[in-house]
Amino acid sequence: MDAASLSAPCPCVECALSSGRNDGDPAHEHVDGRMDVPMSSFFPEYYPTLTRLYRSIKVKFHDADNTLSCFDVDIDASSDSSSRSTGQNKCDQSSARVQEPYLSSRSYRVNSGQTITLPDLPPFSLLNPLPFGRRLMRYYRIAKDYARMLVVSKDFLAKGRMMDIGKHPIEWGNGRLITLREFLEAGGYSHDFSDFFVPLFASVCTCSFERMMEYPACAVLEYVARCMPFGRMQFISSGVQELAEKLSKNIGTIHYNTAIEEILRVGTDAQDDSEGPLVLIDSYGTRRSFDHVIFATQANQAAETLAGLRQEQPLPNPFLSSCEPGYDRDVYGENEEHDSTDPETPRDLSMESIKTTHTFYKQIRILLKFPYERTRVVCHTDTTFLPKNPAHWRLFNIAKSSSADVLASPLAKISKELEPEMIQRSKKAQAPRSSIFSLRSPSSLSKTKLVHRKTSQSRLRTHFGPSSLEPPTSSMASHSHNSAMTTHIMNNTALNLGSTTKYLQTTNPIFLPRPDTVIASAWFERAAMNPTSMKAVDELHLLMEQQTERWVSRGGIKTKEQVPDQGQNLRQNQEHDHENEQRQTPSLSEASASDRVWFVGSYAYSGIPLLEGCVVSAVQAVERIIAAEQSLQLAASVTASQESFLKRDEPMRERRRKRREEGRQDSRGNSARATTSSVYFQTAWRDVLEDERSESGKEQSPELVSRVAGARQWSVYAELAWMLLLYVAAIAKWASVIAVESLGGDGSRWAFV
């Protein structure tokens, strides 16, 4: 969590002398802050469990001025080709030219708990008013599509039908997942809006545009409905280092720099004399036995460990320009090694190489369905990554290559097999929409428009049925610059970094900073989403639920939650069923070994793979182990204090169990609505509403909460009216800021007060 973070280097005279240098800057204030790598932020509206965890362990966090600046970068093609021929995967900054922002915004506080982000007024010239008019028209198209997306997403969220968003009513409940690219194109969203929305969410998900287009639309739009337009971004006040210390405070033994090489069952090795059911072999050859193993790692790393393999092309160790006191320099890498690292995520393991009789065959088969993408994070002080005019510098500065296609996708072409099917479906789709917020009917699209269509500034392609096509294992985003480069000004959110030097953190750099400005560099692999991985989440949860049921059945105790319908429906849809049928019945010891492995991580969550998924899946894993080991009489939160996370989270866990049971009861006979993901998208927003009420300490009856939740299904107009009132207040404040700045004053400090 904190392995790549570092203390910010201070260039003041005192620090330089203490390091034995005489090059200190007498005009620079002392800096004693820390740079979290990667940057960690969250919206309480989307991270309720994570927020509750932070509060329970006394980790303080604060809201930030959530401002944006979006601009393009021109890349010289000849210089780009030359850099790749020398082994670098990024071009030098001399071949990159940063353009003026095509959109910048500031946040305006409208009351004590809500802020609204509005775009900045573009410069106006009487001699040439056309650029001003074009910018206003662009703002209008973005605002119109943004409002339309808010209405659609909030309406479907309130009705518990997020998985049906973007589909014609005749397809509701069929389980087909609409991708974000299909939603934007079929919905007729303008290219101006896509140029703003796609890079923004590619920054949130830390992925390329190709991967972003594969995301299920329901996952992205649920984030929109819960966090926009009034969500307030939060940052940990004291940094991730304190968070890691508090989380590990009660852990007895921690093994650092120790990799797990292999997991064995007792009795599978002649050298094995352990007593536990599972034996872990680490990188030093040490063997340790455990009753249960929880993989709090990436899915691909867990699969390789279960298969007994090591990654052939591992990521380089983090690079630091100056080693932290007490740290071993040998554990860090070199900056040149980072520049030449292959950005493609390798696939060292395939199902063809795993025998069907392998102890963990089922687990490996599911884990390999989760896609990952490599990303680089660089901490530096090179302000050429920001717009040329400092007045346009914002908290997040999002750039993309001017040659990038934000709607690029490996699924760009319509499958020849799917085209006749979709034309026939369009002819049958004559039923009127049941909601005015739904997207236009596919019947309005002719055969020609299915192939290509035009919007405001570019030709957009439409495809259907992406879930039936096999997604690629990796993308070429880093080579083609088809990703969003996000530069975060850390002085605005991290304490004690001062203001003299701008400490920057750039994710997915599309050109290299000056070597003398680089402070640190680190490579990561981030989980992504697509229709296949979303179904794999359901399969993984089903597998672990079945493990728990087998444990309980051995103890002769019935579980509170029996999910035969979900298991039956998912088994009918799982791939390679014929291979599973041919597999021999495992022995008791083998079945017991595979039932002792559990999985935790952002990927094991139905929403966007972020920190909330890590915490929720961890709680679920502990619950399953407690249910499995009933002979040990374990019980969560029995002896915990009232302020502990287990006590705070107990009502949410109970509501989550209740919602799952209600969702399964409502979806009897409908296989597509009986999965873990479908239950999540139907009920998660209700849990958040009740959780907010419970955390705020307001005493309201359950009947009132039920009436409020029911009213939201028809009162989306009332919510829109409230949004408009707040926007009127924000626009009034925006106008006053513009007036102050037109008189030569500093309007920025008036916006966020």
Side-chain angles (χ1 to χ4, degrees), residues 167-209:
K167 297 191 294 189
H168 192 277
I170 64 173
E171 294 187 290
W172 285 5
N174 66 358
R176 188 173 78 91
L177 294 174
I178 298 291
T179 63
L180 179 61
R181 184 177 190 278
E182 185 176 356
F183 177 86
L184 293 174
E185 293 189 353
Y189 287 86
S190 67
H191 186 270
D192 290 326
F193 177 75
S194 298
D195 260 354
F196 157 73
F197 183 80
V198 176
L200 173 63
F201 267 83
S203 301
V204 172
C205 302
T206 322
C207 65
S208 63
F209 298 150

Side-chain angles (χ1 to χ4, degrees), residues 147 353 372 457 465 471 486:
S353 62
Y372 279 83
Q457 293 184 8
T486 305

Side-chain angles (χ1 to χ4, degrees), residues 667-721:
S667 57
R668 296 293 186 186
N670 188 337
S671 60
R673 303 190 70 83
T675 63
T676 298
S677 296
S678 64
V679 173
Y680 165 81
F681 284 109
Q682 292 174 54
T683 63
W685 66 276
R686 300 180 192 172
D687 295 334
V688 173
L689 288 179
E690 294 189 16
D691 190 53
E692 289 176 353
R693 176 184 63 84
S694 130
E695 285 292 328
S696 63
K698 296 179 181 179
E699 296 295 333
Q700 297 180 2
S701 65
E703 293 78 9
L704 178 59
V705 174
S706 177
R707 288 197 298 270
V708 171
R712 287 198 61 182
Q713 297 192 15
W714 59 265
S715 64
V716 66
Y717 290 109
E719 187 171 353
L720 280 176

Side-chain angles (χ1 to χ4, degrees), residues 425-625:
R425 185 180 297 176
S426 296
K427 293 179 180 179
K428 293 181 179 180
Q430 300 298 331
R433 296 224 174 230
S434 60
S435 170
I436 65 171
F437 304 116
S438 303
L439 295 179
R440 66 182 65 177
S441 170
S443 60
S444 62
L445 299 179
S446 64
K447 181 176 180 179
T448 303
K449 290 181 180 179
L450 283 173
V451 181
H452 54 78
R453 56 189 291 177
K454 288 197 179 269
T455 56
S456 59
Q457 293 184 8
S458 71
R459 189 176 73 180
L460 306 182
R461 300 169 299 277
T462 303
H463 70 276
F464 293 89
S467 59
S468 63
L469 302 178
E470 184 66 22
T473 57
S474 62
S475 69
M476 297 293 289
S478 299
H479 291 307
S480 63
H481 306 299
N482 217 34
S483 59
M485 178 180 75
T486 305
T487 299
H488 167 215
I489 302 179
M490 306 189 72
N491 308 65
N492 296 1
T493 55
L495 303 179
N496 303 323
L497 286 183
S499 58
T500 305
T501 299
K502 292 298 181 184
Y503 292 94
L504 310 177
Q505 182 175 128
T506 299
T507 304
N508 283 332
I510 57 180
F511 60 91
L512 296 174
R514 297 195 311 273
D516 60 308
T517 65
V518 176
I519 301 172
S521 175
W523 279 90
F524 300 93
E525 288 184 353
R526 292 296 300 267
M529 284 186 77
N530 56 39
T532 300
S533 68
M534 193 164 171
K535 292 179 180 178
V537 172
D538 298 332
E539 295 177 13
L540 184 63
H541 280 273
L542 172 64
L543 182 68
M544 291 190 286
E545 286 177 358
Q546 291 173 339
Q547 291 176 202
T548 305
E549 291 174 3
R550 285 192 290 271
W551 274 95
V552 173
S553 63
R554 294 187 189 105
I557 305 174
K558 299 296 182 182
T559 56
K560 293 175 62 177
E561 295 184 18
Q562 298 288 343
V563 289
D565 291 347
Q566 181 185 6
Q568 181 180 0
N569 294 324
L570 276 177
R571 281 192 292 269
Q572 293 174 353
N573 296 327
Q574 285 178 345
E575 300 176 0
H576 308 298
D577 278 352
H578 63 285
E579 296 179 359
N580 293 335
E581 293 172 0
Q582 295 174 359
R583 184 182 180 189
Q584 297 179 355
T585 303
S587 63
L588 180 61
S589 61
E590 184 177 349
S592 177
S594 61
D595 285 350
R596 296 174 182 273
V597 177
W598 313 88
F599 302 96
V600 168
S602 62
Y603 68 92
Y605 184 65
S606 298
I608 296 177
L610 297 168
L611 286 176
E612 177 70 8
C614 298
V615 182
V616 172
S617 60
V619 172
Q620 291 173 339
V622 172
E623 285 182 315
R624 286 168 176 147
I625 294 176

